[in-house]
Amino acid sequence: WEVFFESNENIADVKVIGGRVNVDTQVMLDVKNCGYDRNNNTNIRVSRVSGDDRQETNAKILELFDKGSEENIIVAKDGMNNKSHLVDSLSAATLGYPLTLGTERITMAQVNAIYNIVSKDSNLIQVGNGIDNAVIKKVLDIIK
């Protein structure tokens, strides 16, 4: 991955998703140091986005999107009961839309974040089965 940062001199800001338990601080330092090895020797700003749990981290990620601009919101399983359920989320992330993690519930922080970023008449995209109907209804209530 060092080659990636060294050959992409226009990357100036990197967000590391996950707390120290999931992503060691050394990873952040390594990414930052890649900037010194680029031809233009530009700094890479590295910051961490994390919360106390998966839902809080998800809410903080959603807050990074522009307010009132998102036409699509994805809901996928959160992987709390089975980590293999996160494969839906990984696949959905390639679409580039905000992704809400919620199998059985979503938190007030997630609700507030969704409310702030959706545009008028946003669409809900559900990825995978097994998401509680209450979660889907809550998101639909926010976007409509």
Side-chain angles (χ1 to χ4, degrees), residues 1-8 30-31 33-35 37-38:
W1 54 273
E2 291 175 15
V3 173
F4 174 78
F5 288 110
E6 290 168 8
S7 62
N8 289 283
D30 291 345
V31 170
N33 288 335
C34 287
D37 294 332
R38 299 194 287 192

Side-chain angles (χ1 to χ4, degrees), residues 74-98:
I74 297 173
V75 177
K77 289 179 273 193
D78 58 24
M80 295 301 287
N81 297 325
N82 184 339
K83 290 186 188 333
S84 70
H85 289 169
L86 286 174
V87 71
D88 292 340
S89 301
L90 292 171
S91 300
T94 63
L95 297 173
Y97 303 132

Side-chain angles (χ1 to χ4, degrees), residues 55-56 59 62-63 105-116 138 142:
Q55 267 74 22
E56 186 177 329
L62 291 170
E63 291 169 1
R105 68 179 182 89
I106 59 174
T107 65
M108 210 52 211
Q110 288 171 295
V111 167
N112 291 336
I114 294 167
Y115 180 80
N116 286 327
K138 186 70 164 180
I142 298 166

Side-chain angles (χ1 to χ4, degrees), residues 5-127:
F5 288 110
E6 290 168 8
S7 62
N8 289 283
E9 295 181 354
N10 58 336
I11 296 174
D13 191 25
V14 173
K15 303 232 183 298
V16 173
I17 308 298
R20 288 181 180 91
V21 171
N22 296 309
V23 183
D24 192 274
T25 302
Q26 186 61 50
V27 171
M28 296 176 68
L29 294 172
D30 291 345
V31 170
K32 185 172 184 60
N33 288 335
C34 287
Y36 303 122
D37 294 332
R38 299 194 287 192
N39 289 333
N40 63 1
N41 197 29
T42 55
N43 289 333
I44 299 175
R45 292 179 304 281
V46 182
S47 58
R48 184 183 299 273
V49 179
S50 66
D52 290 339
D53 59 24
R54 192 167 288 164
Q55 267 74 22
E56 186 177 329
T57 300
N58 180 229
K60 289 184 179 198
I61 293 167
L62 291 170
E63 291 169 1
L64 297 173
F65 288 86
D66 292 332
K67 293 189 184 302
S69 66
E70 297 301 325
E71 295 179 3
N72 297 297
I73 298 289
I74 297 173
V75 177
K77 289 179 273 193
D78 58 24
M80 295 301 287
N81 297 325
N82 184 339
K83 290 186 188 333
S84 70
H85 289 169
L86 286 174
V87 71
D88 292 340
S89 301
L90 292 171
S91 300
T94 63
L95 297 173
Y97 303 132
L99 174 67
T100 303
L101 296 175
T103 301
E104 297 172 357
R105 68 179 182 89
I106 59 174
T107 65
M108 210 52 211
Q110 288 171 295
V111 167
N112 291 336
I114 294 167
Y115 180 80
N116 286 327
I117 64 172
V118 294
S119 65
K120 194 174 189 176
D121 296 320
S122 293
N123 300 303
L124 170 66
I125 301 168
Q126 178 181 337
V127 177

